[in-house]
Amino acid sequence: MTLESVPAYDSERISGVGNHAVVVGASISGLLAARVLADGFDKVTVVERDELPDEPKTRDGAPHARQPHLLQEAGRVIIEDLFPGYGDDLVSEGGLIIDIASDFNFYDEGGYVASPSTQIPGYAGSRPLLEHVIRKRVSEIDEVQLRDSTRVVGYRTDERGTTVTGAEISGTDDNNTSMSADLIVDATGRTSRTPKWLETRGYESPEVAEVNVDLAYSTTTVERDPDDQRAFWAPASPPYTRGGGALPIENERRQVVLHGVHGDDPPRNVDEFHDFASSLQITEVEEILDSHDMLSEDIDYYPFPSSRRRYYEELDCFPSGFLVVGDAIASYNPIYGQGMSVAALHALVLHHTLAENGLGNLGLEFFDEVEQIVDVAWMMAVGADFQFPETTGPKPRGTGLMGWYLSRLTRKAHTDRDLSERFIRVIMMEKPPKTLFRPGVVWRVLKPAI
Ligand SMILES: Cc1cc2nc3c(=O)[nH]c(=O)nc-3n(C[C@H](O)[C@H](O)[C@H](O)COP(=O)(O)OP(=O)(O)OC[C@H]3O[C@@H](n4cnc5c(N)ncnc54)[C@H](O)[C@@H]3O)c2cc1C
């Protein structure tokens, strides 16, 4: 399921679902969930363990935010629907609106894919800025209260243990208190403790799939010429275990990122950064480093050992009044930049599921719907991971054939602008992968080069 197959947000669809919803985690998933819940609940409290800054700043609870984040089309459209004028707000805070078709240069399979002939707007900014603008808009909603420096340490249930009735919280004074709610949404990310909590309450916890790719990112920030909005991205792809890119962000800066998989560790210090950049398949990253001052000597290193998926949709039983969203369900090798768009699609599905079902059996209904979103992101991410023979973990059926087909399609897309656009719209989670298997497309991919 992608943007094309989920009906758009409709503010008229929901009202009077409940009194109080609590969202745990004020990162992208939590903030977007809070936005849609505010239509149906009198009050929505977002509980975040970090102190939430008034400006775009990284937080200890979301260290991955130091790495470049590309907002794909699915996320861009949904966020703009939920917060009309989001793009303008981003620009007024220093961010950019780029044209993915002409500014974004995607290198794979030995060449750049051709520029699509239609413009595709893209919102560009550092991840702290993207989050800051969402948080600002959420904080302006009357029904929402952001409660920071507060950690959720457990959940309360009714006597039978079948319904979650509240959250146990610990604030700066370390005194535990509780907060009752009609719905609790776990948006605590990859390290979510819900599976453990379910076990302690006698529930089955979801099966977990872990696909090990041993990825690490290293990022620095350099100056950017104001009119130069170009982005470059050349992900690791066999036989190359390293890749990198450069993405424009706010305030005339660019993030330069290097990455490696399966032990090809990117540098953690500035001295080795340049050498690694010079060994990439593309020259532009090195050129950018050569011609622009680094804004700090710090290199932000972030290891990402595995893509991880929890199969909540396979559970027969899940407590009422409880839900899990975003990275807490699945986190993907970020080379295709899908996580924020998946979070946005989750919020949209939550909106529709609440409208159709109210709170009754919300969890299982929701997991059933989002399975198809996670499937698409998972298939793309781990499909790319399994192109490396060193990758371990459960391999989805058809991965080899799919990898072979997409490699061939990408090579054809070096010169075929239409194929390139179709491919990009799938990566951006706007169109479903099946659009790459229509007879006319398959023919162009498989026909021998003349
Ligand atoms: C290196 C890297 C690069 C990425 N690049 C991209 C990209 O280019 N494009 C893209 O779309 N996505 C990208 N992603 C994925 C993206 O960051 C996530 O999918 C996105 O942030 C959504 O995550 P989330 O909100 O579900 O969880 P998180 O961002 O992990 O947030 C969880 C929040 O919960 C809080 N929390 C945790 N426990 C508690 C508790 N007990 N009580 C209260 N609060 C708590 C944390 O402090 C945190 O704020 C990347 C990820 C990584 C690791």
Side-chain angles (χ1 to χ4, degrees), residues 109-383:
E109 296 292 334
Y112 280 109
V113 301
S115 298
S117 39
T118 33
Q119 287 191 343
I120 306 173
Y123 294 169
S126 67
R127 160 61 201 269
L129 180 68
L130 296 171
E131 182 179 306
H132 165 77
V133 178
I134 296 176
R135 188 167 62 239
K136 209 166 152 195
R137 293 290 296 267
V138 169
S139 70
E140 288 163 7
I141 303 171
D142 288 344
E143 290 81 2
V144 178
Q145 191 201 353
L146 298 178
R147 183 157 172 181
D148 64 355
S149 305
T150 306
R151 182 185 291 267
V152 168
V153 291
Y155 303 111
R156 283 189 328 191
T157 63
D158 62 357
E159 271 176 22
R160 293 191 312 156
T162 54
T163 301
V164 170
T165 56
E168 285 160 12
I169 55 173
S170 161
T172 37
D173 55 4
D174 267 352
N175 282 336
N176 284 12
T177 49
S178 63
M179 199 182 252
S180 48
D182 306 305
L183 175 67
I184 304 260
V185 178
D186 171 6
T188 57
R190 183 176 162 96
T191 55
S192 158
R193 300 181 61 79
T194 292
K196 270 261 158 318
W197 181 84
L198 286 172
E199 266 174 28
T200 60
R201 294 302 168 117
Y203 283 88
E204 212 183 310
S205 70
E207 290 282 326
V208 185
E210 197 96 37
V211 172
N212 303 288
V213 68
D214 191 15
L215 168 77
Y217 270 35
S218 283
T219 291
T220 191
T221 308
V222 300
E223 287 181 343
R224 175 174 62 79
D225 307 329
D227 297 333
D228 184 356
Q229 304 206 138
R230 290 173 308 154
F232 297 92
W233 188 231
S237 162
Y240 302 97
T241 48
R242 55 181 61 178
L247 299 180
I249 59 166
E250 65 273 17
N251 305 334
E252 289 150 28
R253 294 179 298 157
R254 209 185 238 118
Q255 281 181 308
V256 176
V257 56
L258 304 176
H259 66 260
V261 295
H262 295 303
D264 193 0
D265 217 27
R268 299 175 197 215
N269 63 61
V270 74
D271 297 333
E272 293 162 20
F273 204 81
H274 196 281
D275 278 354
F276 196 100
S278 68
S279 68
L280 298 182
Q281 292 180 75
I282 57 173
T283 55
E284 287 85 351
V285 173
E286 185 191 9
E287 283 160 20
I288 285 170
L289 283 173
D290 278 343
S291 53
H292 295 85
D293 285 340
M294 273 192 184
L295 291 167
S296 143
E297 295 273 293
D298 295 339
I299 303 295
D300 286 311
Y301 177 84
Y302 191 90
F304 185 89
S306 59
S307 297
R308 179 183 293 163
R309 176 172 184 178
R310 299 182 175 108
Y311 289 89
Y312 280 101
E313 64 273 19
E314 289 178 0
L315 295 177
D316 294 324
C317 215
F318 194 77
S320 305
F322 195 35
L323 206 64
V324 182
V325 295
D327 279 22
I329 297 182
S331 62
Y332 322 84
N333 176 339
I335 62 159
Y336 284 136
Q338 299 161 313
M340 295 188 297
S341 288
V342 171
L345 284 158
H346 283 188
L348 191 54
V349 168
L350 174 58
H351 162 74
H352 292 302
T353 315
L354 267 181
E356 274 148 35
N357 296 274
L359 285 172
N361 210 15
L362 180 68
L364 292 178
E365 293 287 342
F366 173 80
F367 296 138
D368 235 29
E369 288 293 315
V370 298
E371 174 185 7
Q372 297 165 58
I373 296 166
V374 178
D375 275 350
V376 169
W378 185 256
M379 187 272 292
M380 282 198 272
V382 308

Side-chain angles (χ1 to χ4, degrees), residues 32-48:
L32 297 179
R35 165 65 190 84
V36 300
L37 293 173
D39 292 335
F41 288 83
D42 301 336
K43 185 173 156 197
V44 179
T45 309
V46 185
V47 183
E48 168 57 49

